[in-house]
Amino acid sequence: MPNRHFVISLGLLLFGVFTQAQQKFTLSGTISEANSNETLIGVTIAFPDINTGVTTNEYGFYSITLPQGEYNVVVSYLGFQDIRETINLDSNTKRDFSLLEEAEELEEVVVTDDVERLDIRKPQMSVNTMAVQTIKQIPVVLGESDVIKSLLLLPGVSNAGEASSGFNVRGGAADQNLILLDEATVFNSSHLFGFFSVFNPDAIKDVKLFKGGIPARYGGRVSSVLEIFQKEGNSKDFKVNGGIGAVASRLLLEGPILKDRTAFLIGGRASYAHLFLPLFDVDNKAYFYDLNTKINHKINDRNSIFLSGYFGRDLFSISDRFVNTYGNAVGNFRWNHLFSDRLFSNLSVIYSDYFYGLELDFVGFEWNSGIQNFNLKYDLKHYINDKLQINYGLNNTYYVFNPGRIQPNSPDSGILEEQLTKKYANENAVYIDIEHQISENLSVEYGLRASQFNRLGQDEFYVYENDNPVEFDPFTLVYREATPIDTINPGRGGTLKKFFNLEPRISASYNFKGQSSIKASYTRLAQYLHLLSNTSSPTPLDVWTPSGPFVKPQLLDQYALGYFRNIKGGDYSFETEGFYKDIANRIDYIDGANLIANNAIERIILNGQARAYGLEFLIRKNEGRLTGWLAYTWSKSEQKTPGRNLGIDTGRSDLETGINQGEWYSTPYDKRHDLSIYGSYNLNKKWSFNANFIFQTGQPTNYPVGQFEFEGLTVPYYGLRNKERLPDYHRLDVSAILTPKRNQRKKVQSEWVFSIYNLYSRKNAASINFRENEDTGRNEAIRTSIFGIIPAITYNFRF
């Protein structure tokens, strides 16, 4: 009997020891900047002894669960001093960290932020993150720091040329990019038709671009996701910073309302070049202004709320006879809640509006259009342990599309008021996304998004014979608009069409000794909105329209494979990726399509397909006085719209030619070669120098291949679509930044930025037009260029 008791006691003791050895606890908290309480995104919390770690999320929160024990912890974020501590993890522990900025002497040597480096071990690929400090250093036109223009220096990112709005990612169209500002959708990212972006760099905290391997929490666009977060505001001290430039100025104020608990931020920008035009007897105007606002309040350790907004407007007028006004307005209320030290949640209520207005005084009418959406989303992140994290959530978005309202601008204009039929839709989705470190070398991220789109009823809906809004004439081989045979009123309570799609995502990384890795990803995405535009870059006049009975949603399958390597301990890095994209239901337009004030756009649209593939290379120098990168992309972007098989026994359905004879043709944003070089050199504490060089293959276009005479007029005719190209595009930009020695008795810190855009004054072609020379009677080509060499000076300050 004693022996049995001894065995039981020994067994209980061993079980207790085993249980204690296996017991795990959670270390969690928030990491912020010590001088402002601004939370920091992407801070690394490393445990070097066990080769594991975690990074902070979009709200500066982290959580990691480890076996009981004593651990050395290193908290690091370049530009800030490391924190090294020993933590005895014998219970669930909340530990917040406040990071101090490095001494100014060190900032002069190292300027590139860790945030721009891709983590070798993580499965995340096809992602570029750009530090705000880098954005402010890159030389741009007229000296105004620009988020979008800075992204164009990255591999796989381009645009349609100078003064063009939007951007193109991996051969995709500008409307295929989801642009988020504090989670709210921005439908037009440009001021003054593409000269500037709508994002004030002083108000921005984080910029991240997903080109592929897009996590399941994102959806609604098939090309990329650009996620931008605004600063939260300084909850310790009142701060002011701003700048005075050649054509625009900016000012940002931030400070505490309740110290360490409640903070505000308000920032504004405005251009003023138009104020000088009357001096030259010019009666035209072109200006923009925008406003960024934010308030955040920490209720307690488990709850925080945020209220943020953006409002921007552009105005362009010609002698008050032509007035164009457009802009974005967004608002977002967010509530962060910690259910436990391992379960983080965020609830967002979001409003987004894009407005476009046009007044033609010489005609006598005003025209307004736009799109609104109301979005409710709930996201949760569950930190299971140091090897497994689960993200899941849902969202619902309600859309109102206003294709146009025409009304007289005076009682005697003779114009009748007309409202084009408004369209309504509802999009909802649920998702789950899992980050899983399977072994020391293998990590995967896999998820699934289920999306549903309901095209809701409207006041007036056209019905066509055989449900075919576009007819094909087999004799002239021309597509033309069909005539409606009936008009019905479904009412907003009904549903015209439903779409449902499953969107799986998976990314994997296998690393070799922590210095190099191979990554692969597959992404499936659905896009239910379409931008109606027949230009190579978006314009304010373009109109958004939803999928429905005659317009199918775009569906993307993207595959990517890449190799990544850190060289000399991370002083240098090398990345290369190959990608292939296949998009179903990409719309195109019949010849002669009229997109303006069209109440039945289904009569000018044909559904086709698109594809893009290419190779990207990125070499970075991350450390030292000289930093920068070289990015090169070889890619091809094509579209195909074959003749339809309508299933109608006409005896001639096989003669439908499609667009471009049903053959593949280059998209307007196909850039075969794209080379970008950026460098930044810190000479000393006072002077730093920056330069970037860009080379791109010319944009696809159409030139006349012949002409004919008709009733005394010479009429050109064109060959296959996008068969020709504009001349190659290239330019060199430089800048010098002078930081005067700081007077310790004064709080004001300042800097002067001297920049030259297009240093060798390359006359890059925005377009080439043809005309008949009045003297010789011969046809001649006329190149239109926008910019030559442009010097600029900007004065920045803060206190």
Side-chain angles (χ1 to χ4, degrees), residues 358-417:
L358 183 66
E359 181 177 358
L360 300 177
D361 187 65
F362 61 92
V363 180
F365 75 85
E366 297 176 358
W367 185 65
N368 300 322
S369 68
I371 177 174
Q372 295 175 301
N373 74 36
F374 306 85
N375 186 5
L376 176 66
K377 63 192 295 286
Y378 194 42
D379 304 287
L380 299 100
K381 184 159 190 172
H382 201 159
Y383 299 83
I384 305 298
N385 53 47
D386 63 318
K387 302 290 191 296
L388 185 65
Q389 300 174 16
I390 302 177
N391 303 278
Y392 48 95
L394 52 87
N395 73 276
N396 187 85
T397 305
Y398 176 75
Y399 296 96
V400 179
F401 302 84
N402 178 16
R405 178 184 180 87
I406 301 173
Q407 55 189 13
N409 65 350
S410 64
D412 56 349
S413 71
I415 299 295
L416 298 178
E417 184 172 338

Side-chain angles (χ1 to χ4, degrees), residues 462 464 468-471 479-484 550-551 589-590 593-594 598-606:
Y462 293 136
Y464 303 92
N468 180 21
V470 180
E471 295 179 344
Y479 287 97
R480 62 190 182 198
E481 301 179 28
T483 301
F550 306 114
V551 183
Y589 312 103
I590 64 176
N594 177 24
N598 192 328
N599 207 24
I601 58 93
E602 66 271 8
R603 294 191 289 177
I604 58 171
I605 287 177
L606 292 176

Side-chain angles (χ1 to χ4, degrees), residues 71-314:
Y71 297 96
N72 293 317
V73 182
V74 180
V75 181
S76 61
Y77 194 64
L78 207 64
F80 292 82
Q81 298 176 17
D82 289 355
I83 294 178
R84 299 175 183 272
E85 285 189 5
T86 299
I87 292 181
N88 185 17
L89 195 62
D90 56 5
S91 63
N92 291 332
T93 303
K94 184 180 186 299
R95 178 70 170 91
D96 296 334
F97 294 96
S98 296
L99 300 185
L100 290 169
E101 290 190 46
E102 293 276 16
E104 290 185 8
E105 289 79 5
L106 293 178
E107 289 182 349
E108 297 299 330
V109 178
V110 182
V111 297
T112 301
D113 203 326
D114 267 340
V115 75
E116 294 180 356
R117 304 185 194 177
L118 187 67
D119 194 318
I120 289 292
R121 297 176 181 273
K122 287 188 175 181
Q124 190 176 71
M125 66 182 299
S126 306
V127 177
N128 293 111
T129 303
M130 186 167 283
V132 174
Q133 182 61 30
T134 301
I135 293 172
K136 292 182 177 182
Q137 291 173 336
I138 293 174
V140 290
V141 65
L142 297 170
E144 291 297 314
S145 299
D146 195 295
V147 172
I148 302 298
K149 298 296 188 294
S150 301
L151 293 175
L152 300 180
L153 298 176
L154 298 173
V157 187
S158 64
N159 70 353
E162 290 172 326
S164 61
S165 60
F167 58 99
N168 308 107
V169 176
R170 290 185 169 178
D175 70 305
Q176 295 173 334
N177 303 314
L178 177 63
I179 303 174
L180 301 174
L181 179 63
D182 276 350
E183 300 183 334
T185 302
V186 175
F187 288 97
N188 189 326
S189 62
S190 297
H191 280 310
L192 296 182
F193 306 102
F195 282 98
F196 309 103
S197 76
V198 299
F199 306 110
N200 183 349
D202 289 343
I204 290 173
K205 175 165 65 173
D206 187 71
V207 178
K208 183 177 291 184
L209 176 67
F210 296 85
K211 301 179 294 186
I214 298 173
R217 65 181 179 272
Y218 302 107
R221 302 293 188 276
V222 296
S223 194
S224 74
V225 177
L226 175 60
E227 186 175 47
I228 298 175
F229 283 97
Q230 295 186 115
K231 292 179 179 178
E232 296 169 3
N234 192 320
S235 64
K236 287 186 173 294
D237 299 297
F238 179 74
K239 297 290 182 181
V240 178
N241 66 75
I244 302 172
V247 295
S249 292
R250 62 192 188 281
L251 183 68
L252 183 136
L253 312 175
E254 57 180 329
I257 298 175
L258 295 175
K259 193 166 185 177
D260 294 328
R261 293 192 64 186
T262 309
F264 77 93
L265 177 147
I266 181 169
R269 289 189 305 169
S271 65
Y272 40 69
H274 66 286
L275 298 178
F276 303 100
L277 294 179
L279 299 177
F280 304 96
D281 293 325
V282 177
D283 196 22
N284 302 334
K285 295 179 182 178
Y287 64 86
F288 74 87
Y289 59 90
D290 54 32
L291 181 70
N292 298 79
T293 61
K294 197 166 190 177
I295 294 177
N296 79 85
H297 175 64
K298 183 178 181 181
I299 301 173
N300 52 42
D301 287 343
R302 291 191 175 274
N303 295 278
S304 296
I305 56 175
F306 307 82
L307 181 62
S308 62
Y310 167 86
F311 179 84
R313 279 294 181 267
D314 284 70

Side-chain angles (χ1 to χ4, degrees), residues 331-342:
N332 186 0
F333 172 80
R334 285 173 290 169
W335 170 37
N336 287 177
H337 175 67
L338 277 175
F339 286 99
S340 70
D341 50 14
R342 291 196 287 175

